[in-house]
Amino acid sequence: SGIRTVLSAHASDVATTVVGEAETAAAAVTGVRQHKPDVVLLDIRLPDGSGLEACRQILKERPETNVLILTSFSNDSLVYEAVIAGAKGYLMKEVDPSGLMEAIENAAAVGCDSGPP
């Protein structure tokens, strides 16, 4: 609910629209299929499994989606695993609202970049 509040409070500042919300990895994958978002925020630990596995599945089915991992775990091996899974960013849950919005905007811009990687 905290993330939803931040996104809602800053919705007029940037072109960001929340199209879905999920509490499990399976629901996140299904939601991405249905809503086709540009950016997805995923926690690493979800009630039914790993957000990293959900990231892999989302990107396998919809590679143009930009996934950001949002977690409370600061661990170099998890950051590495997130990058290997295809995540475009790794944020701590303590990120300030402007930092979160900037990360979302940056991830969305990656999808709009038509230049070479």
Side-chain angles (χ1 to χ4, degrees):
S1 67
I3 293 170
R4 184 179 340 114
T5 301
V6 168
L7 295 175
S8 296
H10 293 275
S12 62
D13 300 342
V14 294
T16 302
T17 303
V18 176
V19 296
E21 187 175 338
E23 293 185 16
T24 65
V29 172
T30 299
V32 168
R33 282 184 199 128
Q34 180 180 1
H35 299 291
K36 299 175 178 45
D38 296 322
V39 179
V40 172
L41 297 175
L42 277 176
D43 198 334
I44 283 185
R45 297 214 169 104
L46 296 166
D48 64 340
S50 166
L52 296 175
E53 183 54 41
C55 176
R56 286 195 254 323
Q57 187 166 351
I58 287 167
L59 294 175
K60 180 180 176 185
E61 294 181 23
R62 196 165 188 283
E64 65 273 22
T65 302
N66 296 303
V67 177
L68 297 174
I69 300 296
L70 186 66
T71 186
S72 58
F73 300 99
S74 173
N75 178 312
D76 289 344
S77 66
L78 289 176
V79 173
Y80 176 75
E81 287 181 52
V83 170
I84 295 301
K88 298 292 189 224
Y90 187 98
L91 303 165
M92 298 302 296
K93 286 185 179 178
E94 295 83 22
V95 67
D96 61 85
S98 63
L100 176 60
M101 296 308 296
E102 182 178 351
I104 293 168
E105 289 176 48
N106 289 343
V110 168
C112 296
D113 182 12
S114 59

